[in-house]
Amino acid sequence: MPFSLRQWRRERVLRRAPIDDSLWWASVARYGFVSALDAGEQGRLRRWSTLFLAEKRFWAAPGLELTEAMKTDVAVQACLLILELDLSAYGGWSEIVVYPDEFVVAHTWTDEAGVVHEDPHARAGEAWLGGPVVLSWADVARAAQGDGVNVVIHEFAHKLDMANGAANGFPPLHRGMDRAAWSAAFSAAFADFRRRVARRECTAIDPYAAESPAEFFAVVSEGFFEVPEAVRAAYPSVYEQLRLFYRQDPAARLAALAA
């Protein structure tokens, strides 16, 4: 295969702007789901993270001093999703905005009488179609707990979902994946999960997944990488679809590490 201009540019970035060793190993140590990767996987993750940092622009909201270590932590978690894919999966947008803590977003809507309402909501993160990813640093930092709640994985799963339009829990699938199998697995699991949440059952998956198919996909993606056994135990068909989509098997990875 001819050496493309994109490959040449990427190799130049990797030579000229590598992630500092101390920053890289600090991130690896901080996140259990990253330290569980084997040497080859960590090498690919470092490559994608380096290119990610070169391609995306970070902006700090007032009250936050954004350091290189913080940017690296975001890049490492975001690139875990595309470890076996390609950075082009995050194409079409370039900005990441980081707030010190939860931020308030005011959404407007019009009722049947034509009255416009504005509802403010505190958010830990947002992903905009064709626009930036917005993150709360306080929530990014808490991902080191490894409890299946991860705002970076969540918002970047939305970005993958948005590759074919508004987020709806049905991202563009890879060649060879079965759309009917994806739809059947996720539809059944989402309906079951909503019933369980309505009954106030205790679940290993964040109840926020019951909000919509898009949120279900993003939340189970968090669990897939952080607490894969919980997702596989609850919804094995969904786990299998995520395994095919991300081309990774975190449950097998953790089992091999424990052996």
Side-chain angles (χ1 to χ4, degrees), residues 52 56 78-79 81-82 86-93 156-157 159-160:
F52 180 95
K56 304 303 181 187
C79 291
L81 281 71
I82 60 158
D86 188 88
L87 190 59
S88 60
Y90 291 151
W93 61 277
F156 279 85
K159 275 297 188 183
L160 295 178

Side-chain angles (χ1 to χ4, degrees), residues 6-19 47 49-55:
R6 183 176 69 174
Q7 287 175 303
W8 177 82
R9 286 173 174 166
R10 286 179 170 180
E11 293 302 323
R12 185 175 64 172
V13 168
L14 293 168
R15 289 194 308 270
R16 294 184 175 183
I19 295 175
R47 175 186 178 91
S49 300
T50 300
L51 296 170
F52 180 95
L53 290 168
E55 291 189 8

Side-chain angles (χ1 to χ4, degrees), residues 3 13-14 59 61 70 77 79 81 91 144-145 180 211-212 219 231 259:
F3 194 70
V13 168
L14 293 168
W59 300 95
M70 294 160 75
Q77 294 176 79
C79 291
L81 281 71
Q145 297 177 25
E211 289 290 313
S212 69
V219 171
V231 175

